[in-house]
Amino acid sequence: MKTDTPQTIYLKDYTPPAYLVDTVDLDFSIESGGTVVTSTLAMRRNPLVSARPLVLDGEELETLDVTVDGAKVPFLASASSLTVDHLPDAFTLRTVVRIKPDGNTRLSGMYRSKDGYFTQCEAQGFRRITWFLDRPDVMSTYTVTLHADKATYPILLANGNPVANGEEANGRHWAKWADPFRKPAYLFALVAGKLDGLFDTFTTASGRTVQLAIYVEPGKLDQCPHAMAALQKSMLWDEERFGLECDLDHYMIVAVGDFNMGAMENKGLNIFNTKYVLARADVATDVDFENIDRVVAHEYFHNWTGNRVTCRDWFQLSLKEGLTVFRDQEFGADLHNRQTARIREVRGLRAAQFPEDAGPMAHPIRPASFVEINNFYTATVYEKGAEVIRMIQTLIGRDAFRAGMDEYFRRHDGQAVTCEDFVAAMAAASGFDFTQFMRWYNQPGTPRVAVDGHFDEETKTFTLTCTQANPRASDESPYLIPLRVALFAADGNLLPGSERLLQLTATTQSFVFENIAVEPVPSLLRDFSAPVYLDFDYTPEQLTVLLAHESDPFNAWEAGQRLATQLILDAAAAIAAGQEPVWPASFVDAARKLLQTQAGVGNFGGAAFVAEALTLPGETTLAELMSVVDPDALHAARNGLRRHLAEQLEGEFSGLYAGLTVNEPYAPSSEQAGRRALRNLCLAYLLELDTLSVRQLALQQFKTADNMTDQFAALAALANVNAADCPQREQALADFYAKWKNEALVVDKWLQAQSTSRRPDTLATVKALTAHPAFDIGNPNKIYALIRAFGANLVRFNAADGSGYAFIADQIIVLHDRNPQVASRLARCFDRWTKFDAGRQAHARRALERVRDHAGLSRDVLEVVTRALGAA
Ligand code: TRP
Ligand code: ZN
């Protein structure tokens, strides 16, 4: 099976299915030696397609029986297909297969985890359960019967509504579920296990009652209320913002500790990584609580954007993912803090999606081809996809966007459609012409917009000339780029009437502002109105004006990031040339002003903003701006600036640290979270000074914190102390593990605090931890926390001696067969290897070739590694 040469699949080759499946009846007999799956499919020829043999998809199935209309038929079975010819126009196909969920380490299809059996079918896992037309444009109505030992698996769940259940011989029981909605196979799910349930209800706007349930590992019910509240809030929000009501009688969420991704929107039976369900103040951070809100919302929102209207084929993945991320972002912004939400979205986009779009795996939000679809669940499809949806809303306005959503559901409810169908509904509702805009769907690469400002005293005009380019695109035609701008006077006043939404449609284009008396400071790309690099030759003085006065919080933050970026890149160049970096007083003054504003005003919403503004751009983001990355110089420069700020602002940081304590009982509210974020940022800056008193302060916070946010912030800051000898660090790490070794998600934090540490001995620590009882190679969360997080540790992964590369290559080889999806995500650590010097490139190439040449390498990893090596 693994010896098949991987095939590239092209969007242009799409053809409709030759057969349709009207109803699916599945029977699962779960036993210790394996699970027998009996599938009864009511099928017919697709009247739109000429007669062809039936070819079903399958993977690792032991076929026990195949009949058509009750009679044995000749069939041709290979490892991945079952072909039957000479079929009537309509027939019943019955297959019986045995699968081995206990041996399924890929966590795709049906698999075993600690408390029972679970399934993951997106994108192509259903074929690992039974023979089927495993493609999203084949939609069917399902009934499912499960049989299992009652004492071991008391809970038996599948999509839809429970219709019957009963007892059987030998202590077994059964349950039958029926899902009234047609769905593609990727939305199928079942669960059989020993689980506790938290139950509640939601009453929809039209008065229907939906039964809600969250199932978790026994003993964890006290970590479920936050997720339940998030679900209820999501349901209400989708009614209010988009007029979308829940169509189900039962909405169930099941949490499982072994899961490849975040969560899965199976119709009426979501399956979640425990990471996005379980939370309690002492085990989850503010960020965890907020992520749970967003992921619960995301999966719920899929019920309309993904399930009611699904994808015609997997190239259209962003149709559901980009749109649903946009929806969960908007929900998160309404629920928490819209300003910092936008800042964090962009920070994430720049740290992950921009590098992806500049590297060997670059692809349009709608790829034109793929080898393994699992490799395209990416930051581009999800996060850039959400930016594309956001641009549509920016261009036509919120009301027209809502009308476009209504039109989309009016046209396509119950269908499997394309990205064009979505955009056409938006066009119909708004009258806007999206022809040029479609480029955003079809080209890879981050466009660059260079802006030049020209002030003319005579005519009292200010002219912005914008030039766009995207060297990664297949041709030079321009994008339609929405560019939000405003002009500010040198004293920081917004020039009245200067707020505009420019539409860039040509390669070079000028926009004139009239009646401008003195040279203004332009604020460009406000609210990050398009996912582009924006170049403008700002002076530090201009940026300081924007940082202090811009009313658009995103661009105020952006001005600070631009200032810091320039300083760090200049310092890195100086360090590389053997010189001392210089830090201008103006930057320290601007930072001091931010801290003082916060201290003086006591504005809670402001604390979250100040924390974002004083977080320097990350090394991965900065590395993209260097032609050849010198990770050591970059690291020294960024930390040099942190230390300089700590020295200059020690009084401010200490004062705020003391003043920002939260005195109310813990709540994951944005007000409290903002205070904690800023206070913990102060602690981390102070720890740059590495004095005994600050170490003790951090250890004190670690010991006395009544919540995980503060406890973990202290731990992470201590874990990052560089000094060879730091007993406070050792003590905190040891105490943390001793206290939390039975809380899997907290152990992940402990691993990650160590794998992301800047300490020179981090690789040695990570290697040692792979043999620690806390680590488990079978659990994706552990691999992500320890190994992938190390791969994202720019300075340590890119060690000059190649040791980081060799380590990750070893881990990919250990994992590629056991769990190809996770191994392939690890392989993505090498995306940017050609940005480094020749010495590092030689080491990286050797590591990549070693992986590529490994016998029987999984298709997932092979695609990533081949593309990486092809980029040189
Ligand atoms: N569709 C899911 C989401 O974004 C994610 C998903 C896709 C997934 N493929 C998966 C989850 C494989 C687990 C395993 O909501
Ligand atoms: Zn999704």
Side-chain angles (χ1 to χ4, degrees):
M1 202 185 339
K2 272 174 285 166
T3 51
D4 290 358
T5 9
Q7 296 289 305
T8 303
I9 301 160
Y10 295 92
L11 167 59
K12 64 174 167 49
D13 294 343
Y14 172 82
T15 53
Y19 290 85
L20 305 173
V21 186
D22 292 318
T23 63
V24 177
D25 187 86
L26 298 172
D27 183 279
F28 289 82
S29 183
I30 299 172
E31 275 157 56
S32 47
T35 291
V36 174
V37 185
T38 304
S39 155
T40 309
L41 310 178
M43 302 191 70
R44 62 192 157 91
R45 257 190 61 205
N46 184 348
L48 305 174
V49 176
S50 58
R52 268 188 267 157
L54 170 67
V55 185
L56 298 164
D57 306 300
E59 199 177 291
E60 293 182 32
L61 304 174
E62 183 193 341
T63 304
L64 304 177
D65 194 31
V66 179
T67 61
V68 171
D69 294 329
K72 296 258 187 214
V73 290
F75 62 87
L76 196 73
S78 79
S80 59
S81 66
L82 181 90
T83 305
V84 190
D85 205 350
H86 311 296
L87 287 161
D89 284 351
F91 55 93
T92 299
L93 175 76
R94 184 172 168 278
T95 64
V96 184
V97 300
R98 183 180 290 115
I99 55 176
K100 294 283 172 65
D102 290 80
N104 180 359
T105 54
R106 304 182 166 215
L107 312 186
S108 164
M110 181 171 168
Y111 63 93
R112 207 193 147 82
S113 181
K114 198 171 69 189
D115 308 294
Y117 293 100
F118 304 81
T119 57
Q120 172 56 42
C121 292
E122 190 177 5
Q124 298 177 333
F126 191 71
R127 65 186 60 185
R128 295 169 58 76
I129 294 173
T130 188
W131 292 109
F132 202 70
L133 294 171
D134 192 4
R135 45 186 288 169
D137 56 356
V138 172
M139 299 172 74
S140 326
T141 309
Y142 286 64
T143 49
V144 178
T145 308
L146 302 116
H147 313 252
D149 182 74
K150 187 173 183 181
T152 325
Y153 309 105
I155 305 285
L156 301 175
L157 309 173
N159 316 83
N161 302 313
V163 289
N165 61 74
E167 315 270 316
E168 290 175 358
N170 303 319
R172 289 168 67 84
H173 68 151
W174 61 275
K176 182 172 181 181
W177 292 77
D179 184 350
F181 294 95
R182 288 170 72 242
K183 65 171 179 283
Y186 83 88
L187 292 174
F188 166 82
L190 70 74
V191 170
K194 188 178 272 176
L195 302 161
D196 283 351
L198 177 69
F199 304 98
D200 209 328
T201 60
F202 180 82
T203 306
T204 69
S206 66
R208 289 187 41 256
T209 300
V210 186
Q211 304 295 326
L212 310 178
I214 299 183
Y215 290 96
V216 292
E217 165 186 353
K220 290 274 196 281
L221 274 187
D222 63 342
Q223 296 190 39
C224 294
H226 185 79
M228 181 63 84
L231 177 59
Q232 291 163 326
K233 287 178 199 168
S234 309
M235 296 174 101
L236 186 61
W237 186 92
D238 218 14
E239 291 181 349
E240 290 175 346
R241 174 76 177 261
F242 287 111
L244 297 172
E245 261 189 45
C246 185
D247 58 14
L248 299 155
D249 299 323
H250 292 268
Y251 192 96
M252 301 171 277
I253 289 177
V254 179
V256 59
D258 299 303
F259 201 71
N260 282 344
M261 306 258 280
M264 181 61 212
E265 70 264 23
N266 316 303
K267 187 81 184 180
L269 179 56
N270 291 180
I271 298 183
F272 271 58
N273 190 318
T274 45
K275 185 176 165 61
Y276 295 113
V277 174
L278 301 178
R280 205 178 52 207
D282 60 334
V283 295
T285 65
D286 292 332
V287 171
D288 295 329
F289 278 101
E290 191 169 338
N291 286 341
I292 290 168
D293 289 332
R294 294 245 331 248
V295 176
V296 168
H298 181 100
E299 306 312 329
Y300 173 68
F301 295 159
H302 267 317
N303 191 51
W304 279 97
T305 51
N307 300 4
R308 287 288 288 250
V309 183
T310 194
C311 301
R312 186 193 73 172
D313 54 75
W314 290 120
F315 297 100
Q316 318 298 329
L317 183 57
S318 202
L319 172 80
K320 74 177 177 80
E321 294 305 346
L323 177 55
T324 305
V325 171
F326 170 72
R327 279 152 54 66
D328 86 55
Q329 287 177 345
E330 284 294 289
F331 169 75
D334 284 345
L335 194 63
H336 295 279
N337 178 336
R338 179 164 288 272
Q339 293 134 31
T340 51
R342 190 67 188 133
I343 289 166
R344 285 187 204 168
E345 284 153 23
V346 177
R347 202 198 287 286
L349 196 74
R350 285 180 177 154
Q353 199 278 323
F354 280 21
E356 176 169 276
D357 230 348
M361 282 295 290
H363 52 277
I365 67 167
R366 179 176 48 197
S369 67
F370 59 73
V371 172
E372 171 50 63
I373 183 58
N374 285 316
N375 286 333
F376 289 83
Y377 286 77
T378 57
T380 297
V381 166
Y382 277 66
E383 273 73 37
K384 186 179 181 179
E387 293 297 320
V388 171
I389 301 296
R390 184 177 296 276
M391 285 192 285
I392 293 176
Q393 180 178 263
T394 301
L395 287 165
I396 66 179
R398 238 173 107 123
D399 292 344
F401 185 82
R402 168 63 201 274
M405 290 287 279
D406 293 350
E407 182 64 16
Y408 176 59
F409 294 116
R410 193 156 36 241
R411 292 180 176 192
H412 298 301
D413 189 10
Q415 300 174 8
V417 305
T418 65
C419 296
E420 276 81 8
D421 293 322
F422 177 80
V423 177
M426 287 288 157
S430 64
F432 193 91
D433 181 354
F434 285 101
T435 313
Q436 186 180 5
F437 187 82
M438 289 313 288
R439 192 170 175 77
W440 284 108
Y441 280 90
N442 297 325
Q443 294 292 335
T446 307
R448 210 167 245 290
V449 179
V451 182
D452 186 56
H454 176 71
F455 175 61
D456 188 329
E457 242 183 313
E458 303 272 284
T459 58
K460 297 205 180 312
T461 57
F462 183 68
T463 304
L464 287 175
T465 303
C466 308
T467 304
Q468 55 163 295
N470 177 9
R472 293 295 300 239
S474 59
D475 62 75
E476 291 183 353
S477 39
Y479 286 76
L480 168 55
I481 300 177
L483 187 73
R484 243 186 235 295
V485 302
L487 304 180
F488 287 81
D491 64 3
N493 280 323
L494 176 73
L495 297 190
S498 72
E499 290 178 286
R500 285 169 64 179
L501 176 67
L502 309 178
Q503 287 184 25
L504 275 52
T505 55
T507 302
T508 299
Q509 210 170 348
S510 293
F511 301 90
V512 181
F513 293 76
E514 313 273 354
N515 299 317
I516 309 292
V518 287
E519 171 143 28
V521 181
S523 183
L524 306 164
L525 202 69
R526 296 178 103 198
D527 202 35
F528 201 69
S529 58
V532 299
Y533 280 109
L534 191 291
D535 298 326
F536 184 86
D537 203 5
Y538 282 112
T539 64
E541 293 70 31
Q542 290 177 315
L543 291 172
T544 310
V545 168
L546 292 178
L547 175 58
H549 300 287
E550 185 25 312
S551 48
D552 172 54
F554 173 79
N555 253 14
W557 172 82
E558 179 78 329
Q561 296 289 296
R562 282 180 190 270
L563 279 168
T565 298
Q566 203 48 59
L567 292 185
I568 296 168
L569 293 180
D570 290 350
I575 290 166
Q579 295 153 10
E580 280 291 302
V582 281
W583 309 117
S586 58
F587 186 76
V588 177
D589 289 341
R592 179 179 290 115
K593 227 164 267 159
L594 276 170
L595 291 169
Q596 285 170 346
T597 311
Q598 175 46 37
V601 177
N603 168 352
F604 300 155
F609 175 80
V610 175
E612 295 297 342
L614 291 178
T615 301
L616 301 178
E619 289 174 16
T620 304
T621 302
L622 292 165
E624 289 302 308
L625 308 175
M626 303 171 86
S627 47
V628 177
V629 184
D630 180 339
D632 297 309
L634 177 60
H635 185 72
R638 185 174 182 276
N639 285 308
L641 181 54
R642 284 177 58 86
R643 188 178 164 95
H644 182 71
L645 288 171
E647 284 164 352
Q648 301 295 308
L649 302 172
E650 187 180 356
E652 283 81 359
F653 286 132
S654 307
L656 268 184
Y657 182 82
L660 278 169
T661 45
V662 174
N663 297 314
E664 317 89 77
Y666 177 91
S669 65
S670 54
E671 290 77 14
Q672 285 192 19
R675 286 170 75 98
R676 280 187 286 270
L678 182 54
R679 186 164 185 263
N680 287 321
L681 184 91
C682 292
L683 178 69
Y685 268 109
L686 289 169
L687 210 53
E688 295 289 345
L689 303 172
D690 198 19
T691 60
L692 181 61
S693 66
V694 179
R695 284 186 184 183
Q696 283 168 344
L697 186 68
L699 188 61
Q700 179 68 11
Q701 172 170 324
F702 173 82
K703 285 182 176 163
T704 58
D706 69 346
N707 64 82
M708 181 52 74
T709 307
D710 288 335
Q711 181 165 62
F712 184 71
L715 180 78
L718 282 166
N720 219 14
V721 168
N722 251 328
D725 184 36
C726 181
Q728 295 82 358
R729 175 181 189 277
E730 306 308 318
Q731 192 190 335
L733 283 167
D735 288 1
F736 192 83
Y737 184 69
K739 179 166 182 196
W740 296 119
K741 61 176 184 295
N742 296 319
E743 284 285 345
L745 296 171
V746 185
V747 172
D748 296 343
K749 295 180 193 302
W750 181 75
L751 294 171
Q752 192 152 347
Q754 298 176 79
S755 63
T756 57
S757 169
R758 63 186 172 196
R759 288 172 64 86
D761 60 2
T762 291
L763 176 57
T765 306
V766 169
K767 280 185 178 169
L769 285 170
T770 59
H772 192 284
F775 184 70
D776 173 5
I777 194 82
N779 178 255
N781 287 356
K782 296 277 177 282
I783 296 166
Y784 295 146
L786 185 66
I787 304 189
R788 193 178 53 172
F790 174 79
N793 183 338
L794 190 92
V795 67
R796 297 304 157 220
F797 171 60
N798 295 291
D801 64 0
S803 54
Y805 304 145
F807 170 71
I808 296 289
D810 291 342
Q811 299 301 316
I812 294 167
I813 289 168
V814 168
L815 257 175
H816 82 97
D817 198 27
R818 180 180 178 103
N819 189 332
Q821 285 185 38
V822 173
S824 174
R825 283 173 192 276
L826 283 187
R828 297 292 309 277
C829 295
F830 285 97
D831 265 16
R832 303 308 280 138
W833 71 283
T834 58
K835 273 192 83 71
F836 295 84
D837 57 86
R840 286 183 169 85
Q841 284 196 29
H843 288 300
R845 174 187 292 283
R846 223 168 297 134
L848 282 165
E849 287 174 349
R850 185 156 61 84
V851 176
R852 182 197 59 196
D853 298 340
H854 187 82
L857 190 64
S858 80
R859 178 171 55 173
D860 308 54
V861 175
L862 189 63
E863 181 177 32
V864 170
V865 169
T866 311
R867 283 175 73 144
L869 282 165

